[in-house]
Amino acid sequence: MAGLWGRRRREEREQQEAADADLARRARTALVTADERIRATGDELAFAAAELGEAPTEDLRVGLAAVKEHMSEAFHLHQLNHDEIPDTAEELRTRNARIIQLCDWAEDVLDERTDALQARIARVRQAPQILEQVRAESERLRERLPQARATVERLARLYSAEALQRVRVTADQAEQLLDFALHSADVSQRRREARRSEEANLALETATEAVRRAASILDGVDDFEIEAMRAQSTLAEVVADSRGDLVVARQGPQNPEVARAIADLEAALAALPGPGTPSDPFADLASLSAANAALDEAVAKARERAAHPVPSVAHVRHDMDAADHAIAVAGSLINGHRGWIGADARTRYAEAQRVRLDAEPLVTAEDTRERAQQLARRAAQLAQEALQLAQRDIDSSRPDDDDWGSWGGGPRGRSVSIGGGGFGGGLLGPVLGGVLLGGLVGDIFE
């Protein structure tokens, strides 16, 4: 047995030594890799600063400085592992783990900061091609200016000033943006030739954005004309549909809500501009569609009410009176025998009273009257359940011979007599029942 335990300890020691050796190897590799990465990143920083300027590379510069500071700790720990002072296995293990942690952190920081600059560096390297694209796109868009001006003039004759507010800029503004884009492109090229990288990059971004905005303006003019034509076509369909809906609505069930919706839709149709009048098809379509939808909703409600008539106030009051009667009967029984009534009957009774109160304010309005009737019937049902549960409690509490003149089974088995004449048919029966349920009988009869 001793040999077995010795062999196991030897195997465990050998496994730990192998793991420690692997950890030390990983620490040395991580230290070398991180140090080389720091040197390479320093070269990248110098190149990026030359390409982008100092401000865009500030984050990388700060990150590199922080990494160098923390890596000094890693080199110090590695030095401690190899000095003349003997170290325990645990000390070596702790230092190597810390070295790996610091090197991994350094790699992560440098990866994050350099990745953020890659896209900008690539863009700077492509600056000549981008400037060429800016100039070519500007010339292509400039060819669209005459057509855009003609379109704007035509739109001004067809549509109102309110409608044209959706095209908030003109072809003249697009032309100004294109001129500015070409000027910015020239500035970017001159600044790059003068090795003023940061200013060159800013001018390049400005030129690109100016071209994008000019294209958006010209596209917006074309898009507005198409959307306006589509709105006019849809408006014609809604007009025809609305006139048909008016005919149907006049022939269907009538009520004040339907009458108002008919009047509103007729007013919306009358407000539409006549042929040849500059208009706002978007606003007209929105107004007419809203009035048409309101009429559809009113007619649907009227048909629903015709199929399911709203109960009259008198009818609902009848149900309310029935609920009041049921609640009164249940309350009379419960209040007269409270000592014998359990939690279920009391709960149904309280809920019936609450539901009855909720129903009261809903009787007058036509939209809520049906709900009031439902609540009244629910209150009556709850009161009836409370009555049945209360009767069950009373029946289960009364002895079979209904003679409580002498009550055996009191506390400690003693016989109890109340007032000489018993309490089965007397006034103290329910009171004593409540005392029993409350657990006070032991105090009373001590």
Side-chain angles (χ1 to χ4, degrees), residues 114-125:
T114 54
D115 288 347
L117 291 177
Q118 291 306 315
R120 301 187 68 172
I121 292 174
R123 186 174 178 81
V124 168
R125 290 176 178 175

Side-chain angles (χ1 to χ4, degrees), residues 44-45 48-50 52-62 117 120:
E44 292 179 15
L45 176 61
L52 303 176
E54 295 296 326
T57 58
E58 179 64 20
D59 285 347
L60 178 57
R61 185 176 296 103
V62 172
L117 291 177
R120 301 187 68 172

Side-chain angles (χ1 to χ4, degrees), residues 238-272:
V238 175
V239 168
D241 182 65
S242 297
R243 289 171 177 162
D245 288 347
L246 286 172
V247 173
V248 173
R250 294 190 183 99
Q251 296 173 350
Q254 299 297 306
N255 60 31
E257 185 178 355
V258 171
R260 285 193 301 270
I262 289 175
D264 290 342
L265 183 54
E266 289 175 337
L269 287 169
L272 294 176

Side-chain angles (χ1 to χ4, degrees), residues 11-12 14 31 40 84 104-105 114-115 135 145 179 199 215 232 251 274 284 320:
E11 291 175 353
E12 291 175 355
E14 291 173 354
L31 197 62
E84 69 280 2
D104 289 344
W105 173 82
T114 54
D115 288 347
R135 293 188 175 99
L145 291 175
D179 291 341
E199 296 175 2
Q232 284 181 312
Q251 296 173 350
D284 294 340
M320 302 279 271

Side-chain angles (χ1 to χ4, degrees), residues 331-359:
S332 177
L333 182 64
I334 291 172
N335 292 326
H337 301 79
R338 299 197 68 84
W340 296 335
I341 305 303
D344 291 344
R346 294 168 187 261
T347 300
R348 297 292 198 288
Y349 179 63
E351 183 68 5
Q353 291 177 305
R354 186 192 67 80
V355 172
R356 172 61 180 83
L357 289 175
D358 289 345

Side-chain angles (χ1 to χ4, degrees), residues 101-148:
Q101 181 186 34
L102 288 169
C103 292
D104 289 344
W105 173 82
E107 294 269 9
D108 291 342
V109 170
L110 297 180
D111 285 343
E112 178 186 357
R113 303 296 172 91
T114 54
D115 288 347
L117 291 177
Q118 291 306 315
R120 301 187 68 172
I121 292 174
R123 186 174 178 81
V124 168
R125 290 176 178 175
Q126 297 174 359
Q129 294 87 341
I130 295 174
L131 288 174
E132 184 178 350
Q133 292 174 2
V134 165
R135 293 188 175 99
E137 184 68 7
S138 296
E139 291 305 318
R140 186 184 69 81
L141 293 175
R142 196 177 295 276
E143 294 175 356
R144 294 175 55 186
L145 291 175
Q147 179 183 356

Side-chain angles (χ1 to χ4, degrees), residues 66-86:
V67 165
K68 288 180 178 179
E69 179 180 353
H70 285 79
M71 283 301 297
S72 64
E73 178 187 351
F75 282 111
H76 177 65
L77 293 173
H78 187 68
Q79 175 62 33
L80 292 177
N81 286 345
H82 297 85
D83 61 14
E84 69 280 2
I85 301 175

Side-chain angles (χ1 to χ4, degrees), residues 310-320 363-365 369:
V310 177
S312 65
V313 173
H315 194 178
V316 176
R317 282 296 177 192
H318 175 75
D319 289 324
M320 302 279 271
V363 176
T364 305
R369 195 176 301 151

